[in-house]
Amino acid sequence: MKRDLYDDDHEAFRSVVAEFVDREVVPHLERWDERCLIDRETWLAAGRQGIVGLAAPEGYGGGGGVDYRFRAVVMEEFARAHATALASGFSLQDDIAIPYIVEIGTEEQRRRWLPGMAAGELIGAIAMTEPGAGSDLKGIRTSARRVDGGWVVNGTKTFVTSGIQSDLVITVARTDPEGGARALSLFVVERDMPGFGRGRRLKKIGLRAQDTAELVYDDVFVPAENVLGEIGGGFGQLRAMLPLERLSIAVHALAVSEVILADTVQYVRDRRAFGQRVADFQNTQFELAEMHTEVGIGRVFVDRAVLALNAGELTEVDAAQAKWWAADLQNRVIDRCLQLYGGYGFMLEYPVGRAYQDARIQRIFGGTNEIMKQIIGRSLVGRP
């Protein structure tokens, strides 16, 4: 099926990204997995090439942030190289951290942080999840208490992507102990603030090169100028920014699904069993036919969502549908592809094995797929 999402400008940019990936990414993937950390120099090189910071306006050194198709190109090229952990880190920067500052931050905050983020010099993160609070934001216990000149933050966060390397952490904290719809606020906590510490670097079953950590806030003084948005507006601000994050997950899921499926087609053509190619078995052809069709259908929906985002028309429900469907599809396709590899699919030397590990988190972060279905369902029948 012909794909009409991109024009010549996007394809020219793809050439730049592909060259960057071949030069700055592919040679280092194995070492990053062993270290469980991606080189800071890679971020700086991406900044120089204009591959990170696409969401920042041009006036702050970024790519303009008006056409999400350029971000989709980056994710597709990272998927081609099986650089899933790096894709996750860059998605956090461009689809979460930078948009929060662009959309919610003050002009002073934009001038202070966006140029460094667009250059890859400042790595952003967001700290929402806590040991006792995941998708349920009402369970957040990290607190912020008003003092002269700012706020004092106390608490613990976990599952923080880029938690070790991050320089700016958008932190969700409770500013109203009584609760309610306006209980939460956002604070930008900077690396060297006294009392702000990194806990364990968490060991994960996938995305090994992506540093994920616990963060500890022990009487961290956050000046008033680091409040992001309106005090008490945190829940609404988070909700407004989540559709972009969820679309990012969907775009990445489709890109990985397509690459793994293409790899599998080539593998079954080359692999022989019982005197013939694995591709010649009827079951293999039926499996490939079903996956090819499902991925094609998913591609149409996700491409349409990208265009809706560009037009300012992407809804919370659209993003939820794209996220849960694409994440489920990714896991389903990779599992079926791995089966066609036989025992070799279980070996990490094959990309399908690593993709199997990395895919599982897609159904959890950005809001679990069960939460996505609840959002969709409530849009159909109303809230209780």
Side-chain angles (χ1 to χ4, degrees):
M1 182 180 294
K2 187 176 184 294
R3 189 176 180 196
D4 299 320
L5 185 66
Y6 300 119
D7 60 27
D8 291 345
D9 288 341
H10 302 107
E11 296 304 336
F13 179 64
R14 185 185 301 278
S15 297
V16 173
V17 179
E19 190 276 333
F20 169 84
V21 169
D22 290 341
R23 185 186 71 248
E24 302 285 352
V25 177
V26 173
H28 307 295
L29 288 173
E30 186 174 344
R31 180 170 56 82
W32 291 345
D33 274 353
E34 291 173 354
R35 295 178 60 221
C36 297
L37 202 66
I38 294 167
D39 299 333
R40 291 292 294 236
E41 177 55 37
T42 305
W43 286 80
L44 297 173
R48 291 191 293 269
Q49 290 286 128
I51 292 169
V52 72
L54 294 172
E58 291 181 358
Y60 303 97
V66 294
D67 187 348
Y68 194 74
R69 290 176 291 181
F70 289 102
R71 275 285 302 131
V73 166
V74 173
M75 284 187 273
E76 289 171 5
E77 291 304 304
F78 282 9
R80 177 181 63 83
H82 307 291
T84 311
L86 183 64
S88 176
F90 278 25
S91 290
L92 172 62
Q93 184 89 336
D94 256 310
D95 300 329
I96 303 176
I98 289 177
Y100 268 92
I101 294 170
V102 170
E103 298 296 330
I104 304 172
T106 65
E107 178 58 28
E108 186 275 334
Q109 289 172 338
R110 296 188 194 104
R111 288 198 307 269
R112 184 160 35 127
W113 293 319
L114 288 179
M117 298 180 82
E121 297 168 356
L122 297 177
I123 297 176
I126 186 162
M128 285 192 286
T129 304
E130 299 182 1
S135 296
D136 181 13
L137 295 178
K138 294 179 181 178
I140 285 177
R141 295 183 177 274
T142 296
S143 65
R145 173 174 51 87
R146 192 189 295 270
V147 296
D148 288 344
W151 298 76
V152 172
V153 178
N154 282 282
T156 303
K157 299 291 185 179
T158 194
F159 305 152
V160 180
T161 301
S162 296
I164 297 296
Q165 298 209 85
S166 54
D167 304 289
L168 307 170
V169 181
I170 299 169
T171 300
V172 184
R174 181 175 294 276
T175 48
D176 179 2
E178 301 301 319
R182 298 186 59 80
L184 303 178
S185 304
L186 307 183
F187 301 86
V188 179
V189 178
E190 301 183 58
R191 169 177 288 278
D192 296 327
M193 288 181 170
F196 179 48
R198 320 281 161 154
R200 293 184 302 144
R201 182 186 301 178
L202 302 174
K203 297 180 180 179
K204 311 184 297 296
I205 63 173
L207 296 179
R208 290 190 60 193
Q210 172 52 253
D211 61 299
T212 305
E214 295 175 338
L215 300 179
V216 178
Y217 304 77
D218 184 9
D219 283 340
V220 180
F221 174 73
V222 181
E225 56 265 29
N226 280 35
V227 173
L228 190 61
E230 177 188 6
I231 289 294
F235 186 80
Q237 292 158 355
L238 292 166
R239 184 174 179 180
M241 301 303 293
L242 280 170
L244 173 57
E245 178 183 356
R246 289 165 180 166
L247 177 61
S248 172
I249 294 169
V251 171
H252 178 71
L254 260 295
V256 172
S257 299
E258 289 172 336
V259 168
I260 294 300
L261 180 56
D263 287 351
T264 304
V265 170
Q266 187 60 53
Y267 178 84
V268 298
R269 283 174 173 169
D270 296 337
R271 180 74 173 170
R272 299 187 67 83
F274 300 101
Q276 62 181 342
R277 301 183 309 168
V278 173
D280 294 328
F281 292 103
Q282 186 184 64
N283 178 71
T284 301
Q285 294 175 16
F286 281 9
E287 287 288 297
L288 295 176
E290 290 180 10
M291 289 188 285
H292 178 74
T293 302
E294 289 184 16
V295 169
I297 293 169
R299 168 56 63 201
V300 171
F301 187 87
V302 171
D303 282 0
R304 189 178 71 178
V306 168
L307 295 176
L309 176 70
N310 280 354
E313 298 171 353
L314 182 70
T315 68
E316 180 183 31
V317 173
D318 290 337
Q321 289 177 307
K323 190 271 179 183
W324 93 255
W325 176 259
D328 263 19
L329 176 66
Q330 178 187 2
N331 278 265
R332 190 165 63 248
V333 165
I334 293 173
D335 182 68
R336 295 171 78 177
C337 285
L338 190 151
Q339 189 72 15
L340 292 176
Y341 276 77
Y344 287 104
F346 203 61
M347 302 296 109
L348 288 178
E349 65 189 271
Y350 283 85
V352 68
R354 299 192 298 274
Y356 183 85
Q357 292 179 314
D358 292 343
R360 189 58 182 85
I361 189 61
Q362 293 275 86
R363 292 161 57 190
I364 298 173
F365 62 14
T368 66
N369 280 7
E370 290 74 20
I371 295 293
M372 299 304 98
K373 294 175 186 179
Q374 188 173 51
I375 291 169
I376 300 161
R378 285 178 173 175
S379 76
L380 298 174
V381 303
R383 288 179 175 271

Coordinates of all heavy atoms in Angstrom, one line a residue, residues 126-134 142 155-161 163 200-202 212-217:
I126 N 10.7 13.3 33.3 CA 9.5 13.6 34.1 C 9.4 12.5 35.2 O 9.5 11.3 34.9 CB 8.3 13.7 33.2 CG1 7.1 14.1 34.0 CG2 8.0 12.3 32.4 CD1 5.9 14.7 33.1
A127 N 9.1 13.0 36.3 CA 9.0 12.1 37.5 C 7.5 12.2 38.0 O 7.1 13.1 38.7 CB 9.9 12.5 38.6
M128 N 6.7 11.2 37.6 CA 5.3 11.1 38.1 C 5.2 9.8 39.0 O 4.7 9.9 40.1 CB 4.4 10.9 36.9 CG 4.1 12.2 36.1 SD 2.7 12.1 35.0 CE 3.5 11.1 33.7
T129 N 5.6 8.7 38.5 CA 5.4 7.4 39.2 C 6.1 7.3 40.5 O 7.3 7.8 40.6 CB 5.8 6.2 38.3 OG1 5.1 6.3 37.0 CG2 5.5 4.9 38.9
E130 N 5.4 6.8 41.5 CA 6.0 6.6 42.8 C 5.9 5.1 43.2 O 5.1 4.4 42.5 CB 5.3 7.4 43.8 CG 5.4 8.9 43.6 CD 4.8 9.8 44.6 OE1 4.2 9.3 45.6 OE2 4.8 11.0 44.4
P131 N 6.6 4.6 44.2 CA 6.4 3.2 44.6 C 5.0 2.8 44.9 O 4.6 1.7 44.6 CB 7.3 3.2 45.9 CG 8.3 4.2 45.7 CD 7.7 5.3 45.0
G132 N 4.1 3.8 45.3 CA 2.8 3.4 45.6 C 1.8 4.1 44.7 O 0.6 4.1 45.0
A133 N 2.2 4.7 43.6 CA 1.3 5.4 42.7 C 1.8 5.4 41.3 O 2.9 6.0 41.0 CB 1.1 6.9 43.1
G134 N 1.1 4.7 40.4 CA 1.5 4.6 39.0 C 0.5 5.4 38.2 O 0.5 6.6 38.1
T142 N 4.5 12.5 47.0 CA 5.6 13.5 47.0 C 4.9 14.9 47.2 O 4.0 15.3 46.6 CB 6.3 13.5 45.7 OG1 7.0 12.2 45.6 CG2 7.4 14.6 45.6
G155 N 10.0 13.5 48.9 CA 9.3 12.3 48.4 C 10.3 11.4 47.6 O 11.5 11.7 47.5
T156 N 9.7 10.4 47.0 CA 10.5 9.4 46.2 C 9.7 9.1 44.9 O 8.5 9.0 44.9 CB 10.7 8.1 47.0 OG1 11.3 8.4 48.2 CG2 11.5 7.1 46.2
K157 N 10.5 9.1 43.8 CA 9.9 8.7 42.5 C 10.6 7.5 42.0 O 11.8 7.2 42.3 CB 10.1 9.9 41.5 CG 9.3 11.2 41.9 CD 7.8 11.0 41.8 CE 7.2 12.4 42.1 NZ 5.7 12.3 42.0
T158 N 9.9 6.7 41.2 CA 10.5 5.5 40.6 C 10.2 5.4 39.1 O 9.3 6.1 38.6 CB 10.1 4.3 41.4 OG1 11.0 3.2 41.0 CG2 8.7 3.9 41.1
F159 N 10.9 4.5 38.4 CA 10.7 4.2 37.0 C 10.9 5.5 36.2 O 10.2 5.7 35.2 CB 9.3 3.6 36.7 CG 8.9 2.4 37.5 CD1 7.6 2.1 37.8 CD2 9.9 1.5 37.9 CE1 7.3 1.0 38.5 CE2 9.6 0.4 38.6 CZ 8.3 0.1 38.9
V160 N 11.9 6.3 36.6 CA 12.1 7.6 35.9 C 13.1 7.3 34.7 O 14.3 7.0 34.9 CB 12.7 8.6 36.8 CG1 12.9 9.9 36.1 CG2 11.7 8.8 38.0
T161 N 12.6 7.4 33.5 CA 13.4 7.3 32.3 C 14.4 8.4 32.2 O 14.0 9.6 32.5 CB 12.5 7.3 31.0 OG1 11.6 6.2 31.1 CG2 13.3 7.1 29.8
G163 N 16.7 8.8 34.3 CA 16.8 9.2 35.7 C 18.2 9.5 36.1 O 18.5 10.3 36.9
R200 N 18.6 3.9 43.1 CA 19.1 2.8 42.3 C 18.9 3.0 40.8 O 17.9 3.6 40.4 CB 18.3 1.5 42.7 CG 18.6 1.0 44.1 CD 17.8 -0.3 44.3 NE 16.4 -0.1 44.0 CZ 15.6 -1.0 43.4 NH1 16.1 -2.2 43.0 NH2 14.3 -0.8 43.2
R201 N 19.9 2.6 40.1 CA 19.6 2.4 38.6 C 18.9 1.1 38.5 O 19.5 0.0 38.8 CB 21.0 2.4 37.9 CG 20.8 2.3 36.4 CD 22.1 2.1 35.6 NE 22.9 3.3 35.9 CZ 24.2 3.4 35.4 NH1 24.6 2.4 34.6 NH2 24.9 4.5 35.6
L202 N 17.7 1.1 38.0 CA 16.9 -0.1 38.0 C 17.2 -1.1 36.9 O 17.5 -0.7 35.7 CB 15.4 0.3 37.9 CG 14.9 1.3 38.9 CD1 13.5 1.8 38.7 CD2 15.0 0.6 40.3
T212 N 17.2 4.0 33.8 CA 15.9 4.2 34.5 C 16.3 4.1 36.0 O 17.0 3.2 36.4 CB 14.9 3.1 34.1 OG1 14.7 3.1 32.7 CG2 13.6 3.3 34.8
A213 N 15.7 5.0 36.8 CA 16.2 5.2 38.1 C 15.1 5.6 39.1 O 14.1 6.1 38.7 CB 17.4 6.1 38.2
E214 N 15.4 5.4 40.4 CA 14.7 6.0 41.4 C 15.3 7.4 41.7 O 16.5 7.6 41.6 CB 14.8 5.2 42.7 CG 14.1 3.8 42.6 CD 14.3 2.9 43.8 OE1 15.3 3.2 44.6 OE2 13.5 2.0 44.0
L215 N 14.4 8.3 42.1 CA 14.9 9.7 42.5 C 14.4 10.0 43.9 O 13.3 9.6 44.3 CB 14.3 10.7 41.5 CG 14.8 10.6 40.1 CD1 14.1 11.7 39.2 CD2 16.3 10.6 39.9
V216 N 15.2 10.7 44.7 CA 14.9 11.0 46.1 C 14.9 12.5 46.3 O 15.9 13.2 45.8 CB 15.9 10.3 47.0 CG1 15.6 10.6 48.5 CG2 15.9 8.8 46.8
Y217 N 13.9 13.0 46.9 CA 13.8 14.4 47.2 C 13.8 14.6 48.7 O 12.8 14.2 49.4 CB 12.5 15.0 46.6 CG 12.4 14.8 45.1 CD1 12.0 13.6 44.6 CD2 12.6 15.9 44.2 CE1 11.8 13.4 43.2 CE2 12.4 15.7 42.9 CZ 12.1 14.4 42.4 OH 11.9 14.3 41.0

